[in-house]
Amino acid sequence: MPELPEVETIRAQLAPRLEGRTLTRVEILDPRLTRPHDLFEVAEELEGARVDAVERRGKYLVFRLESGLALLVHLRMTGSFGFAPTTHERAVVELDDGSRLAYRDVRRFGTWLVLEQADVEPYLSTKNGVEPLGSRFTVVWLASRLAERRAPLKSVLLDQRVVAGLGNIYADEALWRARLNPLRQSNTLESDEVARAHRAIRAALRAGIERQGSTLRDYSTPDGTEGSMQDEFRVYGRDGEPCSRCRTAISKTRVGGRGTWFCPRCQPLWESSC
Ligand SMILES: [Zn+2]
């Protein structure tokens, strides 16, 4: 599933190609994309609209339109945008410069939702906490969120209302950077541990953005280039390989049903005295 770095990469590539352009023709090919709303009605609302801005909030793409409406796209498992014709197209948008933007989604869990601009932030704020790379994501804020919960640390970090945009990959990478065990009970973290987690979450996400995300299975960027973060993973998907910090073999476990990778030596469940 695309996480913050992948969605941000998509946003950064779409913005210069869409901002200021008019959507001359919009064809939605799959009723699942817009349900419970009718796909023809949604296409009609979008057609003829000029794009003011392409933004991101958590894992959502937000296309702000001059008409006063906004299109919110969540890519879920396998959604992607591309300017080259492809398979599994669920929607096609033609722009006034003659370009054709296709929305591809193999597993069809992605969603397109049109809202009035005034309803966008209230809608998104019920689903997303503060942006982890923004100024409101402070150590104090993270500490108060973690202190409220008894669940495993990783499960709490995956809650979009705690860290918007963080998913399975970057949560594992951040916990390795912070030297924190994914199964630690969230409300037992000391203040220095919260500070490490805060710093590590930002570092892991920034590393992903710098490398244009990680290319795994169905993720691709609108211009067809591939992200390279998968070459830099410290733990994710690397069970049995040596930890790059201590050479201990990376372990795999499950936390809240999600495959989870960590270094048993760098990330002990209990603090050792050494
Ligand atoms: Zn290690």
Side-chain angles (χ1 to χ4, degrees):
M1 178 192 272
E3 304 181 25
L4 188 153
E6 289 76 34
V7 180
E8 179 57 27
T9 300
I10 292 167
R11 186 210 65 77
Q13 289 190 11
L14 288 179
R17 308 251 334 231
L18 263 66
E19 287 174 1
R21 298 256 73 92
T22 297
L23 313 177
T24 49
R25 188 165 156 275
V26 178
E27 190 178 10
I28 297 171
L29 304 163
D30 182 357
R32 281 180 60 160
L33 199 55
T34 59
R35 72 182 181 190
H37 303 287
D38 179 81
L39 81 175
F40 296 106
E41 279 175 29
V42 172
E44 198 172 37
E45 286 176 310
L46 297 173
E47 214 162 79
R50 205 182 90 118
V51 179
D52 276 342
V54 183
E55 299 169 357
R56 180 194 57 73
R57 181 81 172 86
K59 297 178 190 170
Y60 286 83
L61 287 164
V62 182
F63 301 81
R64 293 194 183 272
L65 307 174
E66 198 182 40
S67 63
L69 298 175
L71 169 65
L72 273 60
V73 174
H74 198 302
L75 304 168
R76 301 289 168 194
M77 301 289 287
T78 55
S80 65
F81 283 97
F83 288 97
T86 179
T87 55
H88 303 289
E89 290 184 351
R90 309 299 179 199
V92 175
V93 175
E94 287 174 14
L95 305 173
D96 60 346
D97 63 355
S99 57
R100 175 186 187 277
L101 178 64
Y103 173 77
R104 175 182 200 263
D105 197 341
V106 175
R107 296 189 61 185
R108 303 167 64 209
F109 291 116
T111 56
W112 282 29
L113 174 66
V114 173
L115 291 177
E116 297 282 343
Q117 301 262 10
D119 296 329
V120 170
E121 189 48 38
Y123 177 84
L124 290 174
S125 62
T126 63
K127 298 176 181 297
N128 296 283
V130 298
E131 283 292 316
L133 297 178
S135 59
R136 291 171 60 206
F137 183 70
T138 60
V139 176
V140 171
W141 190 89
L142 181 62
S144 66
R145 297 286 83 75
L146 297 181
E148 292 167 347
R149 306 276 293 270
R150 299 168 57 87
L153 177 59
K154 180 177 174 184
S155 300
V156 176
L157 293 182
L158 287 180
D159 182 340
Q160 298 299 292
R161 293 163 299 177
V162 176
V163 189
L166 197 70
N168 205 41
I169 293 175
Y170 295 93
D172 281 2
E173 294 294 302
L175 288 171
W176 179 84
R177 285 172 183 261
R179 287 175 282 118
L180 291 168
N181 190 283
L183 285 166
R184 260 298 281 285
Q185 188 178 316
S186 175
N187 62 356
T188 66
L189 261 65
E190 306 286 343
S191 57
D192 64 312
E193 293 174 317
V194 177
R196 289 204 319 255
H198 176 268
R199 189 186 181 112
I201 288 164
R202 291 209 199 216
L205 293 173
R206 285 204 180 102
I209 292 171
E210 268 172 38
R211 289 162 188 81
Q212 303 217 304
S214 33
T215 303
L216 300 168
R217 295 180 294 274
D218 286 291
Y219 169 70
S220 64
T221 67
D223 69 10
T225 55
E226 292 198 337
S228 64
M229 188 60 207
Q230 69 281 0
D231 303 331
E232 311 280 333
F233 289 158
R234 305 304 184 100
V235 285
Y236 183 85
R238 298 192 48 179
D239 37 315
E241 293 180 43
C243 168
S244 56
R245 202 159 40 207
C246 76
R247 314 311 293 170
T248 302
I250 300 298
S251 290
K252 184 182 181 188
T253 184
R254 293 192 89 78
V255 179
R258 311 293 301 275
T260 295
W261 288 266
F262 68 104
C263 172
R265 185 168 176 200
C266 294
Q267 300 169 262
L269 191 49
W270 308 108
E271 283 292 327
S272 61
S273 52
C274 63

